[in-house]
Amino acid sequence: MDADHVPSEITSVLLTESQIQERLAEIAAQVDTDYAGRDLLLVGVLKGATLVMADFVRHMKSHVHMDWMAVSSYGSGTQSSGVVRILKDLDTDIAGRHVLVVEDILDTGLTLSWLLKNLGSRGVASVEVFALLRKPEAVKVPVSPRYVGFDIPNVFVVGYGLDYNERYRNLREICVLDPWVYGG
Ligand code: XMP
Ligand code: MG
């Protein structure tokens, strides 16, 4: 689906498909270099990071392992609650592993700081973060991702994995959702 298919629900296209793919290729090359000679486990955060992960790993030139975690911090609204729950844990024992968490968006930082603490307590060799998007103005808990795709303004965005009430994940672009959609 493209923004053109739902024009009344979208205020603007923030990032096009080609902008996203170009940036993913750059970061993939960086990760290939940084982790050369080490076994890397990518941990995707469900469900938002599914599309990032799918494209990102195909830009990489090294072997990687993938695993997934599902956490809830938002409910169905557009505000982070700060309460994080594990809905699905990793299948992998990550002790001694080099872990790179793949996230769609770093907003307040509540989810990622909790996740880093959780993963860090499992005896990992290293744990770093790749966030496709970051909202610098929204940060409440500082998290220092090693890789960031794009810094974006503090607006609610959808598409490329990001949803509002489970819709818009299949948009090719990252778009600003028109506030009427969520009654804002
Ligand atoms: P925090 O605030 O904990 O949020 O850093 C991280 C999670 O919240 C979701 N999130 C969004 N989802 N558009 C979305 O579709 C947004 O603008 C947005 N901001 C935060 C997302 O699931 C992320 O993992
Ligand atoms: Mg998410």
Side-chain angles (χ1 to χ4, degrees):
M1 177 195 270
D2 302 306
D4 288 346
H5 296 131
V6 285
S8 68
E9 296 160 49
I10 298 302
T11 308
S12 61
V13 174
L14 206 59
L15 297 164
T16 64
E17 191 176 14
S18 58
Q19 285 176 308
I20 296 167
Q21 293 305 324
E22 272 170 39
R23 188 74 183 112
L24 286 180
E26 286 174 5
I27 296 174
Q30 190 64 55
V31 170
D32 276 327
T33 304
D34 292 350
Y35 287 89
R38 287 186 286 174
D39 248 350
L40 178 60
L41 174 66
L42 298 174
V43 170
V45 185
L46 295 170
K47 306 173 195 166
T50 49
L51 303 206
V52 185
M53 181 76 104
D55 287 336
F56 183 69
V57 293
R58 283 180 289 179
H59 284 293
M60 288 191 63
K61 296 184 172 68
S62 333
H63 291 295
V64 287
H65 298 240
M66 279 179 265
D67 202 347
W68 300 90
M69 258 180 106
V71 296
S72 93
S73 64
Y74 254 56
S76 63
T78 61
Q79 293 290 305
S80 196
S81 66
V83 180
V84 180
R85 254 181 340 128
I86 296 182
L87 305 177
K88 184 224 168 283
D89 207 340
L90 298 172
D91 297 333
T92 321
D93 176 3
I94 59 172
R97 305 293 302 270
H98 293 284
V99 174
L100 179 61
V101 178
V102 178
E103 242 303 29
D104 49 3
I105 188 165
L106 175 53
D107 191 328
T108 62
L110 287 163
T111 308
L112 267 176
S113 67
W114 184 91
L115 201 57
L116 286 176
K117 215 174 289 170
N118 183 285
L119 297 177
S121 72
R122 303 188 195 192
V124 290
S126 69
V127 58
E128 301 282 353
V129 172
F130 162 36
L132 180 66
L133 306 175
R134 174 171 63 183
K135 294 180 183 173
E137 297 155 40
V139 63
K140 286 186 188 154
V141 187
V143 174
S144 306
R146 179 139 181 208
Y147 311 95
V148 175
F150 304 92
D151 279 324
I152 63 166
N154 193 8
V155 289
F156 196 76
V157 292
V158 293
Y160 199 66
L162 291 151
D163 73 307
Y164 174 68
N165 274 352
E166 296 300 326
R167 297 177 91 171
Y168 308 103
R169 293 193 197 275
N170 59 325
L171 267 176
R172 291 177 186 275
E173 307 93 343
I174 291 171
C175 300
V176 181
L177 189 61
D178 201 301
W180 74 259
V181 177
Y182 53 87

